[in-house]
Amino acid sequence: MLILLGVAVIVAGFALRLNPLLVVVAAALTSGWFAGLSPLQVIAAFGKAFNENRYVSIAYLALPLVGVLERAGLRERAAAIIAGLKGVTAGRFLLSYMALRQVTAAVGLVAIAGQPQTVRPLIAPMAEAATEVHDGPPDLAARYAVRAMAAATDNVAVFFSEDVFIAMGSVLLMVGFLTSSAIVLDPIHISVWSIPTALAAFAIHGARLLLFDRRLARRLAPRTPGVIRP
Amino acid sequence: MIKLSAVYLLAGLMFAGFALFSAGDRANSKRFGNTAFWGLTALSFLAGDRLGDLGNGVLVLSLALLAGFGLLGRGQPATTTPDERMALAQRFGNRLFIPALMLPLVVALGVLVLKPIQFGGIALMDPKQATLISLAVAVIVGLVTALILLRQPPASPLQEGRRLADTIGWAVLLPQFLAALGAVFALAGVGAQIGHLVTTYLPVDTRFAAVTVYCVGMAAFTMLMGNAFAAFPVLTGGVAIPILVIHFGGNPAVIASIGMLSGFCGTLMTPLAANFNLVPPALLEIPDRYAVIKAQIPTALLMLIVNTVLMYVLAFQ
């Protein structure tokens, strides 16, 4: 039971907003200690796993390219294009992005977009520009809300569509685990049964995006003198 | 054959560049903290396989201490001003999108076309790592295009990359830290312990209760472990296969598929899935560390209900 204290350390550390890197190391030491490992053994195990998981950080290779394009005005150009469109809103724009992201992820092209490579240089500034076109200049809180929604939309779109592609890692993991439990099936069945969830995600998150537009519009509506607003 | 080690070499050189340029950045009062942090990251990518387990452990501990004691600052590389960027955006126009589009195009080309290519029986790239290798190639192609087409200074990739890396700060390495924590938890038997608690103490005697326990359990367990892949074997082996498939005769493809997607609902709600939930607020310069999670919670909860209902309806036809 006491090995679960590592999880408690994580929960407490994140809730108190301590530095997560230290919290993670503390959690590893706690669970390892109660599992009978010495601190040196835990540190060695942690180091080994850190080294084996270096691929997790490969997406940052995109940072130099994203930075150079920002330096040359990419975010400003992307915002200008949105400003030239009629009827565009942050929610509708993010809804189109979501559709595109879901369709490409469903055919296995998850890596063509993502938080560092598309959301930061393109999607977030375009969504902010759309708000500005439709509702006037957003205050800082509204800007943060639009950016957070842009990042959330990318995550939601990928998570609920990637399993439609049969060669996706998670699909193969499921097939492998079921095989080891004496249930043999073709990955295509796993993929097919993830389609209803993908459609539901589009409907639910899409509806939230359209509601998000209305909230933004209400929040940023110009306060006409003489009209009393609640 | 191009292997993942080549990609690690490239990443190591990039972080080494960040470290070197950080050292010369007098505008950053903590510049040696940044140099140490990015330098150790570079060392990990360049020589991680030769450091030994304990050596890597000490390296990771040093990174955590540098971050934990606030020794990282934010570099101020010389970049363009907002006004200059507006002018550049007008001058370059849509040409700006050409290098940006190289990224998805080359990744797609790599995964769909280059991956199957073989020369005399030897694959062009390690097929298991085709996506990461394609991403690295795509970045190089995009950068060369950007430097030529947009006439950017040769040092700008490293300086601008450093600017963004410093914007994210220590959170750059948090996803990798959490992946390593997952391995230590597995070694300590944390997952097995939680799975044991779930299967012992939660009601699974009716079909609907069992479906709910599995779906909500996948989401909750994923929130604690930060990863649906860690939760899947424990709860599928503990609840789904013995109870939903064998006892109630459910369709294993439906149950596994929707079970994993219920886990993803948990991924959307946990700070432990740092690359999706904590890195983006840093990257988008939102002060609230949990802003993206908060934006995702309503969708995640509704999707969890939808998944539970879908499994109940579709798995037992």
Side-chain angles (χ1 to χ4, degrees):
Chain A
M1 275 310 279
L2 288 172
I3 51 172
L4 295 185
L5 281 177
V7 179
V9 168
I10 283 281
V11 173
F14 276 79
L16 295 171
R17 302 194 182 214
L18 303 178
N19 183 280
L21 298 191
L22 278 183
V23 172
V24 167
V25 173
L29 287 169
T30 310
S31 277
W33 175 263
F34 287 108
L37 299 170
S38 75
L40 274 185
Q41 281 176 310
V42 176
I43 289 171
F46 199 90
K48 179 171 191 262
F50 184 81
N51 192 52
E52 283 169 355
N53 281 291
R54 282 177 295 178
Y55 68 90
V56 170
S57 301
I58 287 304
Y60 296 119
L61 277 177
L63 291 183
L65 175 59
V66 171
V68 167
L69 294 177
E70 286 187 6
R71 186 184 191 280
L74 177 67
R75 286 161 67 100
E76 286 71 12
R77 180 63 200 160
I81 287 191
I82 286 292
L85 295 179
K86 269 210 177 103
V88 68
T89 63
R92 284 181 216 156
F93 169 71
L94 289 176
L95 189 66
S96 337
Y97 176 67
M98 180 166 181
L100 184 73
R101 190 83 165 107
Q102 280 199 295
V103 169
T104 48
V107 294
L109 296 173
V110 169
I112 61 166
Q115 301 288 354
Q117 62 267 47
T118 35
V119 177
R120 155 118 192 173
L122 294 169
I123 305 307
M126 288 168 102
E128 278 182 62
T131 314
E132 193 155 350
V133 174
H134 194 257
D135 305 309
D139 54 30
L140 257 187
R143 278 190 191 282
Y144 294 150
V146 171
R147 290 180 200 169
M149 196 52 109
T153 302
D154 188 75
N155 285 338
V156 169
V158 172
F159 284 17
F160 295 117
S161 306
E162 59 176 16
D163 283 0
V164 177
F165 183 59
I166 55 166
M168 192 52 64
S170 55
V171 174
L172 301 178
L173 178 119
M174 285 185 254
V175 172
F177 181 77
L178 291 175
T179 308
S180 71
S181 312
I183 299 172
V184 179
L185 47 79
D186 193 274
I188 188 80
H189 296 295
I190 300 270
S191 292
V192 165
W193 289 113
S194 71
I195 295 175
T197 301
L199 297 174
F202 185 73
I204 286 176
H205 195 72
R208 280 196 63 215
L209 286 171
L210 298 180
L211 289 174
F212 181 64
D213 269 345
R214 288 173 50 177
R215 222 169 57 227
L216 277 175
R218 234 177 307 151
R219 193 195 153 92
L220 300 173
R223 286 162 196 253
T224 328
V227 179
I228 296 162
R229 291 175 154 273
Chain B
M1 184 163 76
I2 307 174
K3 288 190 176 167
L4 194 55
S5 50
V7 180
Y8 286 165
L9 177 67
L10 188 68
L13 293 174
M14 175 184 82
F15 284 115
F18 293 176
L20 281 178
F21 279 117
S22 292
D25 185 349
R26 288 179 190 282
N28 176 10
S29 60
K30 296 179 177 171
R31 61 182 187 276
F32 295 115
N34 294 50
T35 304
F37 193 84
W38 301 128
L40 286 171
T41 309
L43 181 66
S44 165
F45 275 97
L46 293 173
D49 293 332
R50 271 162 276 162
L51 294 177
D53 293 347
L54 194 60
N56 275 305
V58 171
L59 184 148
V60 178
L61 204 57
S62 317
L63 287 167
L65 291 173
L66 282 169
F69 286 98
L71 299 177
L72 257 79
R74 196 162 155 178
Q76 307 279 343
T79 185
T80 43
T81 64
D83 287 342
E84 286 170 336
R85 288 185 184 187
M86 288 302 270
L88 286 169
Q90 279 194 335
R91 196 173 100 209
F92 291 129
N94 290 340
R95 261 185 293 166
L96 279 161
F97 292 110
I98 297 172
L101 286 175
M102 286 296 158
L103 208 58
L105 279 180
V106 176
V107 169
L109 189 77
V111 176
L112 302 176
V113 180
L114 299 181
K115 184 177 156 186
I117 291 183
Q118 295 196 342
F119 293 104
I122 298 169
L124 177 64
M125 55 171 99
D126 184 351
K128 281 189 215 126
Q129 310 294 351
T131 308
L132 293 176
I133 296 168
S134 304
L135 184 68
V137 175
V139 166
I140 296 173
V141 173
L143 270 176
V144 171
T145 318
L147 292 185
I148 296 172
L149 196 67
L150 309 173
R151 289 183 216 94
Q152 295 296 303
S156 62
L158 286 173
Q159 288 286 30
E160 295 292 323
R162 170 169 80 91
R163 178 172 62 80
L164 293 179
D166 279 354
T167 304
I168 311 175
W170 47 259
V172 162
L173 290 181
L174 185 55
Q176 210 183 318
F177 265 70
L178 287 162
L181 176 66
V184 173
F185 273 2
L187 191 69
V190 171
Q193 181 76 57
I194 298 182
H196 174 73
L197 289 179
V198 170
T199 45
T200 313
Y201 293 105
L202 291 177
V204 286
D205 38 1
T206 67
R207 191 193 280 176
F208 187 73
V211 167
T212 310
V213 163
Y214 179 50
C215 291
V216 176
M218 274 297 296
F221 197 10
T222 300
M223 289 180 72
L224 288 177
M225 305 297 283
N227 189 332
F229 295 179
F232 184 80
V234 178
L235 285 182
T236 307
V239 179
I241 291 177
I243 295 164
L244 292 173
V245 175
I246 294 175
H247 183 66
F248 288 118
N251 176 344
V254 178
I255 290 167
S257 181
I258 300 180
M260 182 68 93
L261 293 163
S262 302
F264 291 172
C265 296
T267 315
L268 290 171
M269 298 191 282
T270 178
L272 300 188
N275 41 351
F276 301 110
N277 296 340
L278 296 194
V279 171
L283 199 55
L284 298 174
E285 297 168 67
I286 308 173
D288 180 3
R289 195 187 277 181
Y290 299 138
V292 172
I293 293 184
K294 288 175 189 163
Q296 286 168 176
I297 285 177
T299 301
L301 289 177
L302 288 168
M303 286 306 297
L304 185 55
I305 297 171
V306 166
N307 279 330
T308 309
V309 172
L310 280 174
M311 188 185 292
Y312 184 69
V313 172
L314 298 174
F316 303 98
Q317 287 167 344

